[in-house]
Amino acid sequence: MSRRSLTLLKNLARNANGSGIQTRSVTYMPRPGDGAPRAVTLIPGDGIGPLVTNAVEQVMEAMHAPIFFEKYDVHGEMSRMPPEVMESIRKNKVCLKGGLKTPVGGGVSSLNVQLRKELDLFASLVNCFNLPGLPTRHENVDIVVIRENTEGEYAGLEHEVVPGVVESLKVITKFCSERIAKYAFEYAYLNNRKKVTAVHKANIMKLADGLFLESCREVAKKYPSITYNEIIVDNCCMQLVAKPEQFDVMVTPNLYGNLVANTAAGIAGGTGVMPGGNVGADHAVFEQGASAGNVGKDKIVLENKANPVALLLSSAMMLRHLQFPSFADRLETAVKKVIAEGNCRTKDLGGTSTTQQVVDAVIAKLD
Amino acid sequence: MSRRSLTLLKNLARNANGSGIQTRSVTYMPRPGDGAPRAVTLIPGDGIGPLVTNAVEQVMEAMHAPIFFEKYDVHGEMSRMPPEVMESIRKNKVCLKGGLKTPVGGGVSSLNVQLRKELDLFASLVNCFNLPGLPTRHENVDIVVIRENTEGEYAGLEHEVVPGVVESLKVITKFCSERIAKYAFEYAYLNNRKKVTAVHKANIMKLADGLFLESCREVAKKYPSITYNEIIVDNCCMQLVAKPEQFDVMVTPNLYGNLVANTAAGIAGGTGVMPGGNVGADHAVFEQGASAGNVGKDKIVLENKANPVALLLSSAMMLRHLQFPSFADRLETAVKKVIAEGKCRTKDLGGTSTTQQVVDAVIAKLD
């Protein structure tokens, strides 16, 4: 190689460090007292829950982040959330949790759903995006799925009409549809997103999903600079796996949101890496974005090979929600660097590391 | 050049776009209602003030930022701030202003200082850093000067003892020194800064600056992970122009802060580009970081060649303060791209553009 091109290469290589993973200098002027530590309720949960929440605790400690956790032991078989846990969340307003294993069938309703309904966390948000350095079959994926969290097919209203015949009520209200549409468009506006897509099956469920669409259309009129379109859910699933780059923000009722979020998470790298949370007017609960498969296989738990990345990125979202942007940036940058390097990955990403090894790598990369 | 190196160069060049000026995908989960527009008091002021505040108004409009300005006409010759302006700032809690021209001598006290004292904006923050693409004699400058804003030499307590003899009181209190030290260390903690340097002249003013240093030392003990050191102000000025990369966060009493901030601004690119603001427990006023030379030469005003970059970056700080991080990021990125390109610069940066040309370039670069 000629001498000139070598110098040019050196210069460019110095500038292109890590192809996009950059810590940048942000001028942020805090209010006096912004550094006071905040209490956050922590629910380790079942399965891989304790493993990944412990990962978050270690990283927060290493960063000296201004938060402290109030830990509570809750398991999926409990009939209801313990009142002291609800008390704590109402006081702190922010909660971080692992999954709670919902028994299939039986009479026990899901504690996850109970929590969301009691605190009226009406919006569930999952951000599915390609992580640099993690190759997948689909590129340029950056989808945010905003899912209505309190009604729809999850109303929990079922009854046996006659023996052998069961009715399950799917409830759609204008009130809930309107507020989730408002949240989705507000999210798009505040985060410089260009398009909101409503996912529905209104050709079949003309009244229920029709009401949902009506609400979305009304809200869309108030945001003329954001493109709005609609897509039927079956076509949507096909488009997701064929051409995911066409989607930006997606607003969906409850059940479709669950499926779309898990699909989008799967194409962009897996449920082990996607961050997400649930937010209401007064409270926010952060957890893994999409958790297909409930709380993880027992084998993963026994071998301590659960992927902590998703909950670490969710806790970065939580730090940003609590207005600690510098800590959130540091955490996200460290996690993305670890993923990009590729030395330290858990089984779901094709590697052999344990949870603790990933945590140590992230702590080492903190600046 | 050999064929291989050409491909390598192309790849690296594609990755190193703009050498560090990157828009990055940030997962930020707003609360419902976070997108509601906020009112901000706007005081155009004197000299270049109206020119640069108008620049900010245009860019905010172009971004559809969720803020609207309540404009008030205030001039430096007024004897006091009009009560409706103070009313507005107390209501909105945030204000953006151009400079107010303080007459030299005479009996009129500075309205800028009056504003800071009435609202108890005890901390003034100026961030002086090298902008990519803007070469200066000093590299790797990234200094944040946190200056006590309400007492010290600016107490305004002067009297003529006997004809021809004047006493000017410099007042230093433990209360004010403590809170500015607390703010400086809290700022360093929240923004991942490693070092806080206290600037003083306690070898001469043993009691006054000695009290200031004592307060800084006490607060430093509570932040063991942040390095703390002290420097005498004359040595500090020399070090600033010789080896500015040694400084990180600097905490200073009122007068030294003014001089250090202007020096640091000068070595890093000039007062036309450094953002800054004043903050108190309840209010925040954003303005150009350092404004040596009062409100700009008349000739610059007549030719409309004032540099809007400083106030644009300050308004990005303001957007971040109001918790609109996405808009702040877009604004900062657009401004930095315009500077880095180098085509559109005002006279103080060595170019020939007018204010309006810079504004148009920034708006064109918004994504």
Side-chain angles (χ1 to χ4, degrees):
Chain A
M1 238 186 274
S2 77
R3 196 195 249 171
R4 269 190 68 214
S5 48
L6 198 57
T7 333
L8 273 164
L9 276 171
K10 276 191 187 163
N11 271 329
L12 282 170
R14 208 183 312 129
N15 289 336
N17 61 327
S19 59
I21 296 159
Q22 208 123 355
T23 48
R24 87 206 148 133
S25 162
V26 172
T27 309
Y28 165 62
M29 193 162 87
R31 291 171 179 76
D34 269 2
R38 289 283 307 262
V40 171
T41 310
L42 180 67
I43 300 175
D46 303 316
I48 62 169
L51 212 55
V52 294
T53 50
N54 178 261
V56 171
E57 281 179 285
Q58 289 184 45
V59 175
M60 291 295 170
E61 187 72 45
M63 275 204 302
H64 304 298
I67 62 175
F68 59 96
F69 290 110
E70 296 180 357
K71 224 192 301 198
Y72 289 95
D73 219 8
V74 180
H75 297 286
E77 314 90 47
M78 295 180 178
S79 59
R80 47 173 299 119
M81 291 289 280
E84 63 267 17
V85 181
M86 299 308 295
E87 192 59 47
S88 166
I89 304 181
R90 283 187 217 277
K91 171 173 73 76
N92 296 333
K93 307 236 181 279
V94 174
C95 168
L96 185 73
K97 67 184 268 279
L100 295 168
K101 191 178 172 75
T102 312
V104 176
V108 185
S109 63
S110 164
L111 283 186
N112 297 316
V113 178
Q114 232 190 65
L115 183 67
R116 291 173 200 144
K117 284 188 181 175
E118 266 207 57
L119 297 172
D120 202 25
L121 305 172
F122 64 87
S124 158
L125 192 152
V126 184
N127 188 8
C128 306
F129 54 98
N130 277 124
L131 281 159
L134 191 62
T136 57
R137 290 186 187 84
H138 302 85
E139 309 226 312
N140 283 325
V141 180
D142 192 358
I143 301 173
V144 177
V145 183
I146 295 182
R147 157 194 176 193
E148 207 289 326
N149 226 357
T150 57
E151 57 170 21
E153 301 82 352
Y154 287 49
L157 301 162
E158 296 182 307
H159 69 123
E160 194 170 17
V161 185
V162 292
V165 179
V166 171
E167 275 178 356
S168 174
L169 288 171
K170 160 176 169 167
V171 180
I172 298 280
T173 61
K174 184 160 178 63
F175 175 70
C176 293
S177 304
E178 216 175 56
R179 67 181 182 174
I180 195 65
K182 277 191 186 142
Y183 185 80
F185 277 93
E186 190 177 61
Y187 176 90
Y189 170 57
L190 288 173
N191 287 278
N192 197 24
R193 296 277 184 162
K194 306 283 187 267
K195 186 158 71 168
V196 173
T197 308
V199 180
H200 67 98
K201 190 85 181 159
N203 47 344
I204 304 297
M205 285 174 268
K206 296 185 202 291
L207 290 186
D209 288 355
L211 179 56
F212 180 78
L213 282 186
E214 236 180 73
S215 314
C216 292
R217 286 177 196 146
E218 272 177 37
V219 177
K221 291 200 200 108
K222 301 194 184 123
Y223 291 85
S225 53
I226 298 175
T227 315
Y228 168 71
N229 59 359
E230 302 165 352
I231 187 168
I232 300 182
V233 61
D234 47 12
N235 184 24
C236 173
C237 293
M238 193 274 282
Q239 295 291 338
L240 267 174
V241 298
K243 234 183 82 177
E245 57 272 13
Q246 63 180 299
F247 295 111
D248 192 353
V249 176
M250 305 173 79
V251 60
T252 82
N254 212 331
L255 178 66
Y256 312 149
N258 193 4
L259 309 182
V260 166
N262 279 290
T263 311
I267 58 172
T271 55
V273 296
M274 301 303 154
N278 310 275
V279 70
D282 304 307
H283 310 276
V285 173
F286 293 85
E287 50 183 349
Q288 283 198 207
S291 45
N294 220 327
V295 287
K297 301 191 184 72
D298 291 331
K299 186 162 157 225
I300 306 275
V301 178
L302 286 169
E303 293 177 2
N304 289 344
K305 285 190 173 179
N307 198 342
V309 171
L311 205 66
L312 284 170
L313 290 178
S314 294
S315 62
M317 277 172 73
M318 179 183 76
L319 287 169
R320 217 167 263 118
H321 189 81
L322 289 167
Q323 275 119 50
F324 298 129
S326 170
F327 293 95
D329 285 355
R330 288 167 65 196
L331 178 47
E332 256 191 18
T333 310
V335 170
K336 285 184 179 175
K337 277 186 182 162
V338 168
I339 298 281
E341 279 198 346
N343 302 339
C344 205
R345 292 183 182 174
T346 46
K347 192 151 173 248
D348 58 320
L349 299 180
T352 52
S353 308
T354 63
T355 309
Q356 190 55 46
Q357 286 172 334
V358 178
V359 171
D360 294 334
V362 169
I363 292 178
K365 285 257 179 288
L366 286 172
D367 70 339
Chain B
M1 238 185 269
S2 76
R3 199 197 248 170
R4 270 190 69 214
S5 47
L6 197 58
T7 332
L8 273 164
L9 276 172
K10 277 192 185 159
N11 271 329
L12 281 171
R14 210 184 311 129
N15 289 338
N17 61 330
S19 57
I21 297 159
Q22 208 123 351
T23 49
R24 84 200 153 134
S25 163
V26 172
T27 309
Y28 164 62
M29 193 163 87
R31 292 171 180 77
D34 269 2
R38 289 284 306 265
V40 171
T41 310
L42 180 67
I43 301 175
D46 302 316
I48 61 170
L51 212 55
V52 294
T53 51
N54 177 260
V56 171
E57 282 180 285
Q58 290 184 47
V59 175
M60 291 295 171
E61 187 71 45
M63 277 204 301
H64 304 298
I67 63 175
F68 58 95
F69 290 110
E70 296 180 357
K71 224 189 304 195
Y72 290 95
D73 219 7
V74 180
H75 298 286
E77 314 89 49
M78 294 180 180
S79 60
R80 47 172 299 121
M81 293 288 283
E84 63 266 14
V85 181
M86 299 306 296
E87 194 57 50
S88 166
I89 304 181
R90 285 187 215 276
K91 170 174 70 81
N92 297 333
K93 307 237 180 280
V94 174
C95 169
L96 184 73
K97 66 184 268 275
L100 296 167
K101 192 181 173 74
T102 313
V104 176
V108 185
S109 63
S110 163
L111 285 186
N112 298 315
V113 178
Q114 234 189 63
L115 183 66
R116 292 171 199 145
K117 284 189 182 173
E118 267 207 58
L119 297 172
D120 202 24
L121 306 171
F122 64 87
S124 158
L125 193 152
V126 184
N127 188 9
C128 307
F129 54 99
N130 278 123
L131 281 160
L134 191 63
T136 56
R137 289 185 186 85
H138 303 83
E139 308 227 315
N140 282 325
V141 180
D142 192 356
I143 300 173
V144 178
V145 183
I146 296 183
R147 158 194 175 192
E148 207 290 327
N149 226 359
T150 56
E151 57 170 21
E153 301 81 354
Y154 286 49
L157 300 162
E158 296 181 308
H159 68 126
E160 193 169 18
V161 184
V162 293
V165 179
V166 171
E167 277 181 354
S168 172
L169 287 172
K170 160 177 170 167
V171 180
I172 299 280
T173 61
K174 184 160 179 62
F175 175 69
C176 293
S177 305
E178 216 174 57
R179 65 181 182 174
I180 195 65
K182 276 189 187 145
Y183 185 81
F185 278 93
E186 191 177 58
Y187 176 89
Y189 169 58
L190 288 173
N191 286 277
N192 197 23
R193 296 277 183 164
K194 306 283 186 270
K195 187 159 69 166
V196 174
T197 307
V199 179
H200 67 98
K201 190 84 180 160
N203 48 346
I204 305 297
M205 284 174 268
K206 295 186 201 291
L207 291 187
D209 288 354
L211 178 56
F212 180 79
L213 282 186
E214 237 180 73
S215 314
C216 292
R217 286 177 195 147
E218 273 177 38
V219 177
K221 290 199 200 112
K222 300 191 186 130
Y223 291 86
S225 53
I226 298 176
T227 315
Y228 168 71
N229 60 0
E230 301 164 355
I231 187 167
I232 300 181
V233 62
D234 46 14
N235 185 25
C236 173
C237 293
M238 194 275 282
Q239 296 291 336
L240 267 176
V241 298
K243 234 181 86 183
E245 58 270 14
Q246 62 178 298
F247 296 111
D248 193 353
V249 177
M250 305 174 81
V251 59
T252 82
N254 212 330
L255 179 66
Y256 312 147
N258 192 4
L259 309 183
V260 165
N262 279 290
T263 312
I267 57 172
T271 55
V273 296
M274 301 303 156
N278 308 275
V279 69
D282 304 308
H283 310 276
V285 173
F286 293 85
E287 50 183 350
Q288 284 198 206
S291 48
N294 221 328
V295 287
K297 302 192 184 70
D298 290 333
K299 185 162 158 222
I300 305 274
V301 179
L302 285 168
E303 293 177 0
N304 290 346
K305 285 189 174 181
N307 199 341
V309 171
L311 205 66
L312 283 170
L313 291 177
S314 294
S315 62
M317 278 173 73
M318 180 183 76
L319 286 169
R320 220 167 260 119
H321 189 81
L322 289 167
Q323 275 117 52
F324 297 130
S326 170
F327 293 94
D329 286 353
R330 290 167 63 196
L331 178 47
E332 257 191 18
T333 309
V335 171
K336 286 185 178 174
K337 276 184 183 163
V338 169
I339 297 282
E341 278 199 344
K343 301 201 203 99
C344 206
R345 292 181 183 177
T346 46
K347 194 155 171 237
D348 58 318
L349 300 180
T352 51
S353 308
T354 63
T355 310
Q356 191 53 48
Q357 284 170 337
V358 178
V359 170
D360 293 334
V362 168
I363 291 178
K365 284 252 180 286
L366 286 172
D367 67 341

